[in-house]
Amino acid sequence: TEDRMVYTDVKHSHRYGDGLISINQANLSIRTFNALSLAGFRYINEFEGINFTKLYRLKNFGTKSVKELNAKLKEFNLKEMYH
């Protein structure tokens, strides 16, 4: 599965394998990473173009986490979440 991950020292426009970007390699804050991980999410791509209001149901996931995740989507050239 190593070919699925994008390392942060590599230009983000490059994707490996099937194009999935692991949340492990996205340099998210501890709080955001833990909230997503505990909820069972594995890839940044899972949030591409979704309505972010559903994410507020996750424990420890608030406005700052939504902004951070949207910034990561943009950084990896993925479609941002909407309201």
Side-chain angles (χ1 to χ4, degrees), residues 27-62:
N27 277 344
L28 296 168
S29 68
I30 301 280
R31 177 181 292 267
T32 301
F33 172 81
N34 285 340
L36 296 176
S37 182
L38 289 172
F41 294 104
R42 294 180 56 206
Y43 302 102
I44 293 292
N45 308 64
E46 295 178 70
F47 307 100
E48 190 173 17
I50 68 164
N51 185 331
F52 67 80
T53 55
K54 295 178 182 179
L55 294 175
Y56 287 127
R57 297 180 195 153
L58 300 178
K59 184 177 180 180
N60 294 323
F61 201 91

PDB file of all heavy atoms in Angstrom, residues 27-62:
ATOM      1  N   ASN A  27      -0.258  15.396   6.839  1.00  0.00           N
ATOM      2  CA  ASN A  27       0.195  16.403   7.810  1.00  0.00           C
ATOM      3  C   ASN A  27      -0.963  17.161   8.443  1.00  0.00           C
ATOM      4  O   ASN A  27      -0.938  18.386   8.553  1.00  0.00           O
ATOM      5  CB  ASN A  27       1.172  17.394   7.177  1.00  0.00           C
ATOM      6  CG  ASN A  27       2.582  16.860   7.155  1.00  0.00           C
ATOM      7  OD1 ASN A  27       2.900  15.896   7.858  1.00  0.00           O
ATOM      8  ND2 ASN A  27       3.429  17.473   6.358  1.00  0.00           N
ATOM      9  N   LEU A  28      -1.981  16.433   8.857  1.00  0.00           N
ATOM     10  CA  LEU A  28      -3.105  17.038   9.570  1.00  0.00           C
ATOM     11  C   LEU A  28      -2.720  17.240  11.030  1.00  0.00           C
ATOM     12  O   LEU A  28      -1.822  16.569  11.543  1.00  0.00           O
ATOM     13  CB  LEU A  28      -4.327  16.113   9.506  1.00  0.00           C
ATOM     14  CG  LEU A  28      -4.907  15.851   8.122  1.00  0.00           C
ATOM     15  CD1 LEU A  28      -5.899  14.713   8.173  1.00  0.00           C
ATOM     16  CD2 LEU A  28      -5.557  17.107   7.585  1.00  0.00           C
ATOM     17  N   SER A  29      -3.416  18.141  11.716  1.00  0.00           N
ATOM     18  CA  SER A  29      -3.187  18.305  13.150  1.00  0.00           C
ATOM     19  C   SER A  29      -3.578  17.016  13.863  1.00  0.00           C
ATOM     20  O   SER A  29      -4.346  16.203  13.333  1.00  0.00           O
ATOM     21  CB  SER A  29      -4.005  19.479  13.697  1.00  0.00           C
ATOM     22  OG  SER A  29      -5.386  19.156  13.652  1.00  0.00           O
ATOM     23  N   ILE A  30      -3.066  16.831  15.049  1.00  0.00           N
ATOM     24  CA  ILE A  30      -3.352  15.625  15.829  1.00  0.00           C
ATOM     25  C   ILE A  30      -4.854  15.466  16.045  1.00  0.00           C
ATOM     26  O   ILE A  30      -5.406  14.378  15.870  1.00  0.00           O
ATOM     27  CB  ILE A  30      -2.639  15.677  17.200  1.00  0.00           C
ATOM     28  CG1 ILE A  30      -1.133  15.795  17.017  1.00  0.00           C
ATOM     29  CG2 ILE A  30      -3.012  14.483  18.052  1.00  0.00           C
ATOM     30  CD1 ILE A  30      -0.428  14.527  16.699  1.00  0.00           C
ATOM     31  N   ARG A  31      -5.522  16.545  16.421  1.00  0.00           N
ATOM     32  CA  ARG A  31      -6.963  16.494  16.696  1.00  0.00           C
ATOM     33  C   ARG A  31      -7.748  16.067  15.456  1.00  0.00           C
ATOM     34  O   ARG A  31      -8.601  15.188  15.514  1.00  0.00           O
ATOM     35  CB  ARG A  31      -7.469  17.844  17.197  1.00  0.00           C
ATOM     36  CG  ARG A  31      -8.977  17.879  17.443  1.00  0.00           C
ATOM     37  CD  ARG A  31      -9.435  19.246  17.907  1.00  0.00           C
ATOM     38  NE  ARG A  31      -8.933  19.560  19.225  1.00  0.00           N
ATOM     39  CZ  ARG A  31      -9.604  19.327  20.361  1.00  0.00           C
ATOM     40  NH1 ARG A  31     -10.791  18.779  20.318  1.00  0.00           N
ATOM     41  NH2 ARG A  31      -9.089  19.644  21.519  1.00  0.00           N
ATOM     42  N   THR A  32      -7.463  16.694  14.330  1.00  0.00           N
ATOM     43  CA  THR A  32      -8.172  16.370  13.099  1.00  0.00           C
ATOM     44  C   THR A  32      -7.879  14.937  12.667  1.00  0.00           C
ATOM     45  O   THR A  32      -8.793  14.183  12.327  1.00  0.00           O
ATOM     46  CB  THR A  32      -7.800  17.359  11.977  1.00  0.00           C
ATOM     47  OG1 THR A  32      -8.132  18.688  12.405  1.00  0.00           O
ATOM     48  CG2 THR A  32      -8.526  17.052  10.685  1.00  0.00           C
ATOM     49  N   PHE A  33      -6.617  14.558  12.701  1.00  0.00           N
ATOM     50  CA  PHE A  33      -6.239  13.192  12.329  1.00  0.00           C
ATOM     51  C   PHE A  33      -6.954  12.170  13.208  1.00  0.00           C
ATOM     52  O   PHE A  33      -7.527  11.196  12.717  1.00  0.00           O
ATOM     53  CB  PHE A  33      -4.726  12.996  12.420  1.00  0.00           C
ATOM     54  CG  PHE A  33      -4.322  11.567  12.222  1.00  0.00           C
ATOM     55  CD1 PHE A  33      -4.224  11.039  10.946  1.00  0.00           C
ATOM     56  CD2 PHE A  33      -4.074  10.742  13.308  1.00  0.00           C
ATOM     57  CE1 PHE A  33      -3.886   9.694  10.758  1.00  0.00           C
ATOM     58  CE2 PHE A  33      -3.735   9.413  13.131  1.00  0.00           C
ATOM     59  CZ  PHE A  33      -3.631   8.887  11.852  1.00  0.00           C
ATOM     60  N   ASN A  34      -6.921  12.378  14.528  1.00  0.00           N
ATOM     61  CA  ASN A  34      -7.551  11.435  15.450  1.00  0.00           C
ATOM     62  C   ASN A  34      -9.056  11.331  15.231  1.00  0.00           C
ATOM     63  O   ASN A  34      -9.619  10.242  15.242  1.00  0.00           O
ATOM     64  CB  ASN A  34      -7.248  11.803  16.903  1.00  0.00           C
ATOM     65  CG  ASN A  34      -5.834  11.453  17.299  1.00  0.00           C
ATOM     66  OD1 ASN A  34      -5.181  10.633  16.668  1.00  0.00           O
ATOM     67  ND2 ASN A  34      -5.358  12.093  18.352  1.00  0.00           N
ATOM     68  N   ALA A  35      -9.710  12.470  15.031  1.00  0.00           N
ATOM     69  CA  ALA A  35     -11.158  12.466  14.811  1.00  0.00           C
ATOM     70  C   ALA A  35     -11.510  11.673  13.558  1.00  0.00           C
ATOM     71  O   ALA A  35     -12.430  10.852  13.566  1.00  0.00           O
ATOM     72  CB  ALA A  35     -11.690  13.891  14.703  1.00  0.00           C
ATOM     73  N   LEU A  36     -10.761  11.897  12.482  1.00  0.00           N
ATOM     74  CA  LEU A  36     -11.033  11.187  11.234  1.00  0.00           C
ATOM     75  C   LEU A  36     -10.684   9.711  11.346  1.00  0.00           C
ATOM     76  O   LEU A  36     -11.434   8.837  10.897  1.00  0.00           O
ATOM     77  CB  LEU A  36     -10.252  11.826  10.081  1.00  0.00           C
ATOM     78  CG  LEU A  36     -10.627  13.257   9.736  1.00  0.00           C
ATOM     79  CD1 LEU A  36      -9.715  13.799   8.639  1.00  0.00           C
ATOM     80  CD2 LEU A  36     -12.085  13.356   9.336  1.00  0.00           C
ATOM     81  N   SER A  37      -9.562   9.427  11.958  1.00  0.00           N
ATOM     82  CA  SER A  37      -9.106   8.049  12.113  1.00  0.00           C
ATOM     83  C   SER A  37     -10.070   7.223  12.962  1.00  0.00           C
ATOM     84  O   SER A  37     -10.438   6.100  12.601  1.00  0.00           O
ATOM     85  CB  SER A  37      -7.708   8.046  12.726  1.00  0.00           C
ATOM     86  OG  SER A  37      -7.220   6.747  12.846  1.00  0.00           O
ATOM     87  N   LEU A  38     -10.501   7.798  14.093  1.00  0.00           N
ATOM     88  CA  LEU A  38     -11.431   7.089  14.973  1.00  0.00           C
ATOM     89  C   LEU A  38     -12.791   6.863  14.308  1.00  0.00           C
ATOM     90  O   LEU A  38     -13.494   5.908  14.630  1.00  0.00           O
ATOM     91  CB  LEU A  38     -11.606   7.846  16.284  1.00  0.00           C
ATOM     92  CG  LEU A  38     -10.403   7.818  17.221  1.00  0.00           C
ATOM     93  CD1 LEU A  38     -10.611   8.770  18.396  1.00  0.00           C
ATOM     94  CD2 LEU A  38     -10.139   6.403  17.718  1.00  0.00           C
ATOM     95  N   ALA A  39     -13.152   7.733  13.370  1.00  0.00           N
ATOM     96  CA  ALA A  39     -14.420   7.588  12.647  1.00  0.00           C
ATOM     97  C   ALA A  39     -14.288   6.605  11.477  1.00  0.00           C
ATOM     98  O   ALA A  39     -15.266   6.305  10.808  1.00  0.00           O
ATOM     99  CB  ALA A  39     -14.898   8.936  12.143  1.00  0.00           C
ATOM    100  N   GLY A  40     -13.067   6.121  11.233  1.00  0.00           N
ATOM    101  CA  GLY A  40     -12.865   5.104  10.206  1.00  0.00           C
ATOM    102  C   GLY A  40     -12.437   5.614   8.845  1.00  0.00           C
ATOM    103  O   GLY A  40     -12.388   4.853   7.885  1.00  0.00           O
ATOM    104  N   PHE A  41     -12.125   6.890   8.732  1.00  0.00           N
ATOM    105  CA  PHE A  41     -11.671   7.429   7.454  1.00  0.00           C
ATOM    106  C   PHE A  41     -10.199   7.101   7.257  1.00  0.00           C
ATOM    107  O   PHE A  41      -9.414   7.136   8.193  1.00  0.00           O
ATOM    108  CB  PHE A  41     -11.884   8.947   7.397  1.00  0.00           C
ATOM    109  CG  PHE A  41     -13.326   9.337   7.401  1.00  0.00           C
ATOM    110  CD1 PHE A  41     -13.922   9.839   8.543  1.00  0.00           C
ATOM    111  CD2 PHE A  41     -14.093   9.194   6.258  1.00  0.00           C
ATOM    112  CE1 PHE A  41     -15.255  10.196   8.559  1.00  0.00           C
ATOM    113  CE2 PHE A  41     -15.441   9.554   6.260  1.00  0.00           C
ATOM    114  CZ  PHE A  41     -16.007  10.056   7.408  1.00  0.00           C
ATOM    115  N   ARG A  42      -9.824   6.806   6.002  1.00  0.00           N
ATOM    116  CA  ARG A  42      -8.444   6.456   5.704  1.00  0.00           C
ATOM    117  C   ARG A  42      -7.802   7.374   4.664  1.00  0.00           C
ATOM    118  O   ARG A  42      -6.587   7.476   4.609  1.00  0.00           O
ATOM    119  CB  ARG A  42      -8.370   5.011   5.218  1.00  0.00           C
ATOM    120  CG  ARG A  42      -8.758   4.020   6.297  1.00  0.00           C
ATOM    121  CD  ARG A  42      -8.703   2.588   5.836  1.00  0.00           C
ATOM    122  NE  ARG A  42      -7.396   2.269   5.319  1.00  0.00           N
ATOM    123  CZ  ARG A  42      -7.168   1.310   4.424  1.00  0.00           C
ATOM    124  NH1 ARG A  42      -8.149   0.587   3.978  1.00  0.00           N
ATOM    125  NH2 ARG A  42      -5.951   1.073   3.992  1.00  0.00           N
ATOM    126  N   TYR A  43      -8.620   7.998   3.826  1.00  0.00           N
ATOM    127  CA  TYR A  43      -8.076   8.774   2.719  1.00  0.00           C
ATOM    128  C   TYR A  43      -8.695  10.165   2.643  1.00  0.00           C
ATOM    129  O   TYR A  43      -9.891  10.338   2.886  1.00  0.00           O
ATOM    130  CB  TYR A  43      -8.325   8.056   1.380  1.00  0.00           C
ATOM    131  CG  TYR A  43      -7.727   6.678   1.355  1.00  0.00           C
ATOM    132  CD1 TYR A  43      -8.524   5.557   1.527  1.00  0.00           C
ATOM    133  CD2 TYR A  43      -6.362   6.506   1.194  1.00  0.00           C
ATOM    134  CE1 TYR A  43      -7.972   4.294   1.537  1.00  0.00           C
ATOM    135  CE2 TYR A  43      -5.802   5.245   1.208  1.00  0.00           C
ATOM    136  CZ  TYR A  43      -6.601   4.136   1.377  1.00  0.00           C
ATOM    137  OH  TYR A  43      -6.042   2.890   1.392  1.00  0.00           O
ATOM    138  N   ILE A  44      -7.875  11.148   2.284  1.00  0.00           N
ATOM    139  CA  ILE A  44      -8.331  12.524   2.086  1.00  0.00           C
ATOM    140  C   ILE A  44      -9.393  12.559   0.975  1.00  0.00           C
ATOM    141  O   ILE A  44     -10.345  13.321   1.038  1.00  0.00           O
ATOM    142  CB  ILE A  44      -7.134  13.431   1.713  1.00  0.00           C
ATOM    143  CG1 ILE A  44      -6.179  13.560   2.893  1.00  0.00           C
ATOM    144  CG2 ILE A  44      -7.590  14.801   1.246  1.00  0.00           C
ATOM    145  CD1 ILE A  44      -6.719  14.319   4.065  1.00  0.00           C
ATOM    146  N   ASN A  45      -9.233  11.699  -0.007  1.00  0.00           N
ATOM    147  CA  ASN A  45     -10.148  11.665  -1.146  1.00  0.00           C
ATOM    148  C   ASN A  45     -11.594  11.413  -0.747  1.00  0.00           C
ATOM    149  O   ASN A  45     -12.512  11.752  -1.475  1.00  0.00           O
ATOM    150  CB  ASN A  45      -9.721  10.592  -2.145  1.00  0.00           C
ATOM    151  CG  ASN A  45      -8.284  10.718  -2.543  1.00  0.00           C
ATOM    152  OD1 ASN A  45      -7.401  10.574  -1.699  1.00  0.00           O
ATOM    153  ND2 ASN A  45      -8.023  10.985  -3.800  1.00  0.00           N
ATOM    154  N   GLU A  46     -11.819  10.819   0.413  1.00  0.00           N
ATOM    155  CA  GLU A  46     -13.176  10.515   0.861  1.00  0.00           C
ATOM    156  C   GLU A  46     -14.005  11.777   1.107  1.00  0.00           C
ATOM    157  O   GLU A  46     -15.225  11.720   1.171  1.00  0.00           O
ATOM    158  CB  GLU A  46     -13.133   9.679   2.142  1.00  0.00           C
ATOM    159  CG  GLU A  46     -12.525   8.310   1.948  1.00  0.00           C
ATOM    160  CD  GLU A  46     -12.444   7.521   3.234  1.00  0.00           C
ATOM    161  OE1 GLU A  46     -13.509   7.116   3.737  1.00  0.00           O
ATOM    162  OE2 GLU A  46     -11.326   7.327   3.733  1.00  0.00           O
ATOM    163  N   PHE A  47     -13.345  12.916   1.240  1.00  0.00           N
ATOM    164  CA  PHE A  47     -14.026  14.177   1.563  1.00  0.00           C
ATOM    165  C   PHE A  47     -14.182  15.089   0.363  1.00  0.00           C
ATOM    166  O   PHE A  47     -14.749  16.166   0.473  1.00  0.00           O
ATOM    167  CB  PHE A  47     -13.255  14.903   2.671  1.00  0.00           C
ATOM    168  CG  PHE A  47     -13.020  14.030   3.853  1.00  0.00           C
ATOM    169  CD1 PHE A  47     -11.796  13.424   4.038  1.00  0.00           C
ATOM    170  CD2 PHE A  47     -14.033  13.775   4.754  1.00  0.00           C
ATOM    171  CE1 PHE A  47     -11.580  12.585   5.118  1.00  0.00           C
ATOM    172  CE2 PHE A  47     -13.836  12.940   5.826  1.00  0.00           C
ATOM    173  CZ  PHE A  47     -12.610  12.342   6.012  1.00  0.00           C
ATOM    174  N   GLU A  48     -13.707  14.652  -0.765  1.00  0.00           N
ATOM    175  CA  GLU A  48     -13.714  15.476  -1.968  1.00  0.00           C
ATOM    176  C   GLU A  48     -15.146  15.779  -2.399  1.00  0.00           C
ATOM    177  O   GLU A  48     -15.930  14.892  -2.711  1.00  0.00           O
ATOM    178  CB  GLU A  48     -12.961  14.755  -3.086  1.00  0.00           C
ATOM    179  CG  GLU A  48     -12.703  15.605  -4.289  1.00  0.00           C
ATOM    180  CD  GLU A  48     -11.808  14.921  -5.304  1.00  0.00           C
ATOM    181  OE1 GLU A  48     -11.635  13.690  -5.245  1.00  0.00           O
ATOM    182  OE2 GLU A  48     -11.305  15.632  -6.165  1.00  0.00           O
ATOM    183  N   GLY A  49     -15.512  17.063  -2.362  1.00  0.00           N
ATOM    184  CA  GLY A  49     -16.802  17.527  -2.852  1.00  0.00           C
ATOM    185  C   GLY A  49     -18.016  17.152  -2.011  1.00  0.00           C
ATOM    186  O   GLY A  49     -19.124  17.209  -2.499  1.00  0.00           O
ATOM    187  N   ILE A  50     -17.819  16.798  -0.735  1.00  0.00           N
ATOM    188  CA  ILE A  50     -18.968  16.436   0.105  1.00  0.00           C
ATOM    189  C   ILE A  50     -19.466  17.636   0.909  1.00  0.00           C
ATOM    190  O   ILE A  50     -18.784  18.646   1.025  1.00  0.00           O
ATOM    191  CB  ILE A  50     -18.639  15.277   1.076  1.00  0.00           C
ATOM    192  CG1 ILE A  50     -17.626  15.717   2.134  1.00  0.00           C
ATOM    193  CG2 ILE A  50     -18.176  14.044   0.329  1.00  0.00           C
ATOM    194  CD1 ILE A  50     -17.553  14.768   3.320  1.00  0.00           C
ATOM    195  N   ASN A  51     -20.636  17.521   1.483  1.00  0.00           N
ATOM    196  CA  ASN A  51     -21.183  18.542   2.366  1.00  0.00           C
ATOM    197  C   ASN A  51     -20.541  18.374   3.734  1.00  0.00           C
ATOM    198  O   ASN A  51     -20.734  17.362   4.387  1.00  0.00           O
ATOM    199  CB  ASN A  51     -22.701  18.380   2.457  1.00  0.00           C
ATOM    200  CG  ASN A  51     -23.361  19.464   3.267  1.00  0.00           C
ATOM    201  OD1 ASN A  51     -22.766  20.027   4.174  1.00  0.00           O
ATOM    202  ND2 ASN A  51     -24.599  19.748   2.946  1.00  0.00           N
ATOM    203  N   PHE A  52     -19.783  19.369   4.169  1.00  0.00           N
ATOM    204  CA  PHE A  52     -19.005  19.227   5.399  1.00  0.00           C
ATOM    205  C   PHE A  52     -19.837  19.269   6.681  1.00  0.00           C
ATOM    206  O   PHE A  52     -19.353  18.904   7.751  1.00  0.00           O
ATOM    207  CB  PHE A  52     -17.886  20.264   5.477  1.00  0.00           C
ATOM    208  CG  PHE A  52     -18.344  21.678   5.616  1.00  0.00           C
ATOM    209  CD1 PHE A  52     -18.744  22.193   6.832  1.00  0.00           C
ATOM    210  CD2 PHE A  52     -18.340  22.516   4.524  1.00  0.00           C
ATOM    211  CE1 PHE A  52     -19.148  23.510   6.962  1.00  0.00           C
ATOM    212  CE2 PHE A  52     -18.732  23.843   4.634  1.00  0.00           C
ATOM    213  CZ  PHE A  52     -19.150  24.330   5.854  1.00  0.00           C
ATOM    214  N   THR A  53     -21.092  19.676   6.618  1.00  0.00           N
ATOM    215  CA  THR A  53     -21.888  19.781   7.844  1.00  0.00           C
ATOM    216  C   THR A  53     -22.064  18.427   8.528  1.00  0.00           C
ATOM    217  O   THR A  53     -22.209  18.363   9.744  1.00  0.00           O
ATOM    218  CB  THR A  53     -23.275  20.405   7.565  1.00  0.00           C
ATOM    219  OG1 THR A  53     -23.934  19.662   6.543  1.00  0.00           O
ATOM    220  CG2 THR A  53     -23.142  21.852   7.141  1.00  0.00           C
ATOM    221  N   LYS A  54     -22.027  17.345   7.780  1.00  0.00           N
ATOM    222  CA  LYS A  54     -22.133  16.010   8.366  1.00  0.00           C
ATOM    223  C   LYS A  54     -20.923  15.670   9.238  1.00  0.00           C
ATOM    224  O   LYS A  54     -21.016  14.872  10.158  1.00  0.00           O
ATOM    225  CB  LYS A  54     -22.302  14.968   7.276  1.00  0.00           C
ATOM    226  CG  LYS A  54     -23.594  15.108   6.516  1.00  0.00           C
ATOM    227  CD  LYS A  54     -23.707  14.093   5.413  1.00  0.00           C
ATOM    228  CE  LYS A  54     -25.014  14.318   4.649  1.00  0.00           C
ATOM    229  NZ  LYS A  54     -25.165  13.378   3.552  1.00  0.00           N
ATOM    230  N   LEU A  55     -19.786  16.289   8.949  1.00  0.00           N
ATOM    231  CA  LEU A  55     -18.566  16.006   9.714  1.00  0.00           C
ATOM    232  C   LEU A  55     -18.630  16.565  11.137  1.00  0.00           C
ATOM    233  O   LEU A  55     -17.912  16.099  12.016  1.00  0.00           O
ATOM    234  CB  LEU A  55     -17.341  16.564   8.990  1.00  0.00           C
ATOM    235  CG  LEU A  55     -17.006  15.899   7.663  1.00  0.00           C
ATOM    236  CD1 LEU A  55     -15.854  16.614   6.987  1.00  0.00           C
ATOM    237  CD2 LEU A  55     -16.679  14.428   7.866  1.00  0.00           C
ATOM    238  N   TYR A  56     -19.490  17.551  11.360  1.00  0.00           N
ATOM    239  CA  TYR A  56     -19.613  18.125  12.701  1.00  0.00           C
ATOM    240  C   TYR A  56     -20.136  17.110  13.710  1.00  0.00           C
ATOM    241  O   TYR A  56     -20.029  17.313  14.906  1.00  0.00           O
ATOM    242  CB  TYR A  56     -20.504  19.364  12.697  1.00  0.00           C
ATOM    243  CG  TYR A  56     -19.852  20.573  12.067  1.00  0.00           C
ATOM    244  CD1 TYR A  56     -20.486  21.274  11.057  1.00  0.00           C
ATOM    245  CD2 TYR A  56     -18.608  21.023  12.495  1.00  0.00           C
ATOM    246  CE1 TYR A  56     -19.908  22.385  10.477  1.00  0.00           C
ATOM    247  CE2 TYR A  56     -18.006  22.129  11.923  1.00  0.00           C
ATOM    248  CZ  TYR A  56     -18.667  22.810  10.918  1.00  0.00           C
ATOM    249  OH  TYR A  56     -18.083  23.904  10.352  1.00  0.00           O
ATOM    250  N   ARG A  57     -20.695  16.026  13.228  1.00  0.00           N
ATOM    251  CA  ARG A  57     -21.183  14.969  14.129  1.00  0.00           C
ATOM    252  C   ARG A  57     -20.039  14.172  14.750  1.00  0.00           C
ATOM    253  O   ARG A  57     -20.227  13.480  15.746  1.00  0.00           O
ATOM    254  CB  ARG A  57     -22.094  14.014  13.375  1.00  0.00           C
ATOM    255  CG  ARG A  57     -23.345  14.665  12.851  1.00  0.00           C
ATOM    256  CD  ARG A  57     -24.193  13.660  12.107  1.00  0.00           C
ATOM    257  NE  ARG A  57     -25.205  14.365  11.320  1.00  0.00           N
ATOM    258  CZ  ARG A  57     -25.737  13.896  10.220  1.00  0.00           C
ATOM    259  NH1 ARG A  57     -25.386  12.723   9.760  1.00  0.00           N
ATOM    260  NH2 ARG A  57     -26.648  14.590   9.568  1.00  0.00           N
ATOM    261  N   LEU A  58     -18.861  14.250  14.138  1.00  0.00           N
ATOM    262  CA  LEU A  58     -17.708  13.520  14.665  1.00  0.00           C
ATOM    263  C   LEU A  58     -17.203  14.168  15.944  1.00  0.00           C
ATOM    264  O   LEU A  58     -17.161  15.397  16.058  1.00  0.00           O
ATOM    265  CB  LEU A  58     -16.564  13.508  13.638  1.00  0.00           C
ATOM    266  CG  LEU A  58     -16.838  12.878  12.282  1.00  0.00           C
ATOM    267  CD1 LEU A  58     -15.615  13.014  11.398  1.00  0.00           C
ATOM    268  CD2 LEU A  58     -17.227  11.430  12.442  1.00  0.00           C
ATOM    269  N   LYS A  59     -16.806  13.350  16.892  1.00  0.00           N
ATOM    270  CA  LYS A  59     -16.263  13.844  18.151  1.00  0.00           C
ATOM    271  C   LYS A  59     -14.959  14.604  17.876  1.00  0.00           C
ATOM    272  O   LYS A  59     -14.110  14.148  17.112  1.00  0.00           O
ATOM    273  CB  LYS A  59     -15.989  12.665  19.089  1.00  0.00           C
ATOM    274  CG  LYS A  59     -15.518  13.080  20.444  1.00  0.00           C
ATOM    275  CD  LYS A  59     -15.337  11.887  21.348  1.00  0.00           C
ATOM    276  CE  LYS A  59     -14.857  12.364  22.709  1.00  0.00           C
ATOM    277  NZ  LYS A  59     -14.664  11.251  23.623  1.00  0.00           N
ATOM    278  N   ASN A  60     -14.821  15.781  18.497  1.00  0.00           N
ATOM    279  CA  ASN A  60     -13.639  16.638  18.378  1.00  0.00           C
ATOM    280  C   ASN A  60     -13.402  17.175  16.976  1.00  0.00           C
ATOM    281  O   ASN A  60     -12.282  17.501  16.609  1.00  0.00           O
ATOM    282  CB  ASN A  60     -12.380  15.914  18.873  1.00  0.00           C
ATOM    283  CG  ASN A  60     -12.427  15.641  20.343  1.00  0.00           C
ATOM    284  OD1 ASN A  60     -12.921  16.453  21.122  1.00  0.00           O
ATOM    285  ND2 ASN A  60     -11.924  14.489  20.745  1.00  0.00           N
ATOM    286  N   PHE A  61     -14.443  17.269  16.174  1.00  0.00           N
ATOM    287  CA  PHE A  61     -14.301  17.788  14.816  1.00  0.00           C
ATOM    288  C   PHE A  61     -15.174  19.022  14.676  1.00  0.00           C
ATOM    289  O   PHE A  61     -16.395  18.934  14.658  1.00  0.00           O
ATOM    290  CB  PHE A  61     -14.718  16.731  13.786  1.00  0.00           C
ATOM    291  CG  PHE A  61     -14.148  16.969  12.423  1.00  0.00           C
ATOM    292  CD1 PHE A  61     -12.939  16.410  12.069  1.00  0.00           C
ATOM    293  CD2 PHE A  61     -14.809  17.754  11.503  1.00  0.00           C
ATOM    294  CE1 PHE A  61     -12.395  16.622  10.813  1.00  0.00           C
ATOM    295  CE2 PHE A  61     -14.288  17.978  10.247  1.00  0.00           C
ATOM    296  CZ  PHE A  61     -13.076  17.410   9.899  1.00  0.00           C
ATOM    297  N   GLY A  62     -14.528  20.177  14.605  1.00  0.00           N
ATOM    298  CA  GLY A  62     -15.264  21.434  14.542  1.00  0.00           C
ATOM    299  C   GLY A  62     -14.837  22.291  13.364  1.00  0.00           C
ATOM    300  O   GLY A  62     -14.277  21.804  12.379  1.00  0.00           O
TER     301      GLY A  62
END
